[in-house]
Amino acid sequence: MATRGHSSCSSMSNHTKERVTMAKVTLENFYSNLITQHEEREMRQHKLERVMDEEGLPDEEKRLRRSQHARKETEFLRLKRTRLGLEDFESLKVIGRGAFGEVRLVQKKDTGHVYAMKILRKADMLEKEQVGHIRAERDILVQADTLWVVKMFYSFQDKMNLYLLMEFLPGGACVCYSTCDMMTLLMKKDTLSEEETQFYVAETVLAIDSIHQMGFIHRDIKPDNVLLDSKGHVKLSDFGLCTGLKKAHRTEFYRNLNHSVSNDFTSQYMNSKRKAETWKRNRRQLAFSTVGTPDYIAPEVFMQTGYNKLCDWWSLGVIMYEMLIGYPPFCSETPQETYKKVMNWKETLVFPPEVPISERAKDLILRFCCEGDHRIGASGVEEIKRNPFFEGVDYDHIRERPAAIPIEIKSIDDTSNFDEFPESDILSPTAAAPTKSPSATAGEADYKNKDWVFINYTYKRFEGLTARGAIPSYMKGSKR
């Protein structure tokens, strides 16, 4: 019997094996979702009871609150069963475009709420082996419910695309969906004062720690992914390279790097002025590129010999250097040369004498950018928070104080500071397959067979479905 069963399993066709895997994933996701929904409902109930106790409400007021909450939970269950699609949103403007899709400002028709819709082409995800990356981003955004992470309200899919509906941080001025991001701020300001740097680095420390507490390593901390909300406070975004992704080192970015480390950098010398000019000239182009820039990535990540959450603190050290000096310490004319400098950081991490900064600032940067075994944060985030550079920082109330650089917004759809993008055909049903040649037909059939890898992508957040009618004050204003 055992031999016969083994023989039957060995003779199973690839198609049958894939169908079996699809059924297994579907069942596992179904029961996993039931458990998660129950846990989340209990968590919301416990949170309500805790808040009411803290407010010292009388029993009658508590009863009314519980009744209102129960109606919201019932509405949530009903709305979760409704199908969400493109027809539920009105597209207002394209506000960002990248290698695998684009970001649009959209308005939900029934509530009037405005979101940033991140659209990703399924065919590109499969071709570029990005399925694991986008899946990881969706999963961490579902789990993350903190002020330090950009909030995702919905995710869904159709035959051609994946859709992530994120909170829109109004005002413009970035390549993504934020009032501003740190990249844009640095491009505008050239350098920040040490007081401004202290504020943004301190908030980013708390933001990164919130990710680490959830058991994730971001691995892609860079100014582009440090967003600023409508009040100028930090929120992290873009979790496509978070920990546990085996395919992350097989992308075009890593394949294109030259892994031979040069020991001679004298021919690549540039003074600080030339470095700053080169960096500002190329920076926005790199943000849109599939290749990107290795400036912020810790050397142990490149080495692929093992790394931990401390790699995120290295990236923060590079950002802090850029805030104070005007460019990152390893910037070069090409990503390949930058990679070599990162790998040889003991010789290339230097401070230009013509841009003076305090010894406290230098010390913290060097504590971030050093061997992993000796890096600050190895014994916990409190080690970082106690560093002399952060003297006087009130971490418990930092998000309540005014931001170091105030953000001005006019209305939710004020996109005057965004880059202009022409309309595209990404939402067209024929966009991914304009011709019907035999090879295209075969490719389409192969794509449909692989579509099961996107099972369980749909998500609806409780706050998104139950907050109806009331539009936050910053979302109000005339359309532009």
Side-chain angles (χ1 to χ4, degrees):
M1 291 292 291
T3 304
R4 190 181 307 155
H6 177 72
S7 175
S8 174
C9 182
S10 300
S11 61
M12 189 183 298
S13 69
N14 288 335
H15 175 73
T16 301
K17 290 179 181 178
E18 192 166 83
R19 300 298 291 182
V20 168
T21 302
M22 178 179 174
K24 178 175 179 288
V25 170
T26 301
L27 288 171
E28 287 177 349
N29 283 327
F30 175 78
Y31 288 106
S32 175
N33 284 340
L34 285 180
I35 294 171
T36 300
Q37 289 169 20
H38 176 72
E39 291 174 344
E40 289 178 348
R41 183 164 183 157
E42 283 197 332
M43 182 178 65
R44 289 192 292 268
Q45 184 66 44
H46 291 323
K47 181 178 180 180
L48 173 66
E49 295 294 335
R50 186 179 68 252
V51 170
M52 290 192 300
D53 288 340
E54 290 173 354
E55 293 179 357
L57 299 179
D59 290 343
E60 182 61 22
E61 180 66 22
K62 286 184 177 181
R63 187 187 66 78
L64 289 174
R65 289 271 191 100
R66 292 189 188 107
S67 178
Q68 292 170 354
H69 180 77
R71 285 197 295 271
K72 278 191 173 184
E73 290 285 3
T74 301
E75 182 186 21
F76 181 55
L77 289 175
R78 178 180 65 81
L79 292 172
K80 273 180 70 71
R81 290 191 289 269
T82 61
R83 185 178 182 85
L84 198 65
L86 279 176
E87 64 276 6
D88 296 299
F89 299 89
E90 178 187 355
S91 178
L92 303 179
K93 184 176 183 179
V94 178
I95 57 174
R97 185 162 291 146
F100 304 111
E102 65 185 32
V103 180
R104 289 180 178 238
L105 181 66
V106 300
Q107 187 170 35
K108 199 165 186 289
K109 294 178 180 178
D110 61 344
T111 64
H113 290 181
V114 178
Y115 303 95
M117 176 186 281
K118 187 174 182 179
I119 308 167
L120 298 165
R121 292 179 291 265
K122 285 184 177 180
D124 288 346
M125 297 296 101
L126 290 166
E127 181 183 353
K128 301 295 185 181
E129 294 184 308
Q130 298 294 306
V131 175
H133 294 180
I134 188 60
R135 192 79 198 209
E137 180 176 33
R138 179 261 184 206
D139 291 347
I140 192 173
L141 288 172
V142 167
Q143 183 175 338
D145 189 10
T146 168
L147 291 172
W148 297 111
V149 173
V150 63
K151 188 182 290 291
M152 181 183 75
F153 287 95
Y154 312 105
S155 63
F156 60 92
Q157 61 178 298
D158 56 26
K159 290 182 179 180
M160 308 310 301
N161 300 316
L162 302 173
Y163 304 91
L164 294 169
L165 276 296
M166 318 290 291
E167 65 175 315
F168 176 68
L169 309 179
C174 80
V175 299
C176 190
Y177 42 82
S178 163
T179 312
C180 184
D181 59 19
M182 190 56 63
M183 178 191 77
T184 305
L185 185 66
L186 292 174
M187 289 179 68
K188 284 185 173 182
K189 300 280 289 184
D190 291 331
T191 61
L192 304 183
S193 68
E194 294 209 3
E195 183 179 4
E196 293 167 340
T197 300
Q198 182 198 63
F199 172 82
Y200 290 116
V201 174
E203 286 212 335
T204 308
V205 166
L206 297 178
I208 293 173
D209 182 57
S210 73
I211 297 299
H212 291 173
Q213 288 184 33
M214 288 189 289
F216 293 98
I217 306 171
H218 193 289
R219 295 202 313 177
D220 197 21
I221 299 293
K222 56 185 178 182
D224 321 42
N225 297 335
V226 179
L227 306 186
L228 304 178
D229 67 13
S230 59
K231 294 183 179 179
H233 293 277
V234 162
K235 282 180 180 279
L236 291 183
S237 72
D238 199 343
F239 299 91
L241 288 180
C242 70
T243 184
L245 302 176
K246 300 300 182 182
K247 293 180 180 178
H249 296 290
R250 298 202 295 271
T251 62
E252 181 181 353
F253 174 79
Y254 297 102
R255 285 200 303 266
N256 281 355
L257 288 175
N258 180 356
H259 285 259
S260 60
V261 179
S262 171
N263 291 320
D264 179 13
F265 299 100
T266 55
S267 62
Q268 296 294 327
Y269 174 77
M270 295 187 287
N271 61 32
S272 59
K273 182 178 179 181
R274 184 184 167 197
K275 282 184 179 180
E277 291 172 350
T278 300
W279 180 248
K280 292 190 72 173
R281 184 173 65 249
N282 298 332
R283 186 61 179 93
R284 190 169 291 278
Q285 182 180 352
L286 288 169
F288 287 98
S289 170
T290 57
V291 175
T293 171
D295 282 87
Y296 308 96
I297 299 177
E300 64 264 28
V301 175
F302 287 127
M303 293 170 65
Q304 303 180 32
T305 55
Y307 55 88
N308 54 32
K309 64 183 180 181
L310 297 178
C311 68
D312 287 340
W313 300 130
W314 168 286
S315 303
L316 183 55
V318 175
I319 294 174
M320 181 177 172
Y321 182 106
E322 182 178 356
M323 288 176 176
L324 295 169
I325 304 299
Y327 52 85
F330 311 110
C331 73
S332 300
E333 296 282 358
T334 66
Q336 290 80 6
E337 193 63 31
T338 298
Y339 164 81
K340 295 175 185 178
K341 290 187 176 182
V342 171
M343 297 304 293
N344 205 34
W345 60 269
K346 291 182 181 179
E347 283 73 37
T348 58
L349 178 54
V350 295
F351 296 91
E354 62 269 28
V355 188
I357 63 174
S358 71
E359 291 301 317
R360 282 186 174 185
K362 285 184 182 179
D363 176 73
L364 181 55
I365 291 171
L366 293 175
R367 294 293 311 283
F368 279 133
C369 299
C370 63
E371 295 94 341
D373 294 343
H374 303 103
R375 196 169 298 158
I376 191 170
S379 61
V381 71
E382 293 300 324
E383 180 185 10
I384 301 176
K385 293 161 72 172
R386 290 193 303 266
N387 187 272
F389 181 76
F390 297 118
E391 183 179 359
V393 172
D394 182 1
Y395 289 99
D396 293 334
H397 302 95
I398 191 170
R399 207 171 180 95
E400 299 167 15
R401 61 164 282 190
I405 300 175
I407 302 294
E408 293 185 7
I409 61 170
K410 300 174 183 176
S411 67
I412 180 57
D413 44 12
D414 174 17
T415 58
S416 58
N417 290 322
F418 278 83
D419 291 334
E420 290 295 326
F421 296 92
E423 283 294 324
S424 72
D425 61 355
I426 192 171
L427 301 180
S428 168
T430 59
T435 61
K436 284 291 182 180
S437 64
S439 60
T441 303
E444 184 177 338
D446 183 57
Y447 161 73
K448 288 180 178 178
N449 288 336
K450 293 179 179 178
D451 196 49
W452 65 269
V453 302
F454 300 109
I455 284 175
N456 198 39
Y457 193 80
T458 299
Y459 173 75
K460 301 182 181 83
R461 188 174 291 277
F462 178 80
E463 300 95 314
L465 288 182
T466 57
R468 306 172 71 83
I471 303 178
S473 59
Y474 71 82
M475 285 189 173
K476 297 176 181 177
S478 59
K479 291 181 183 177
R480 292 178 175 269

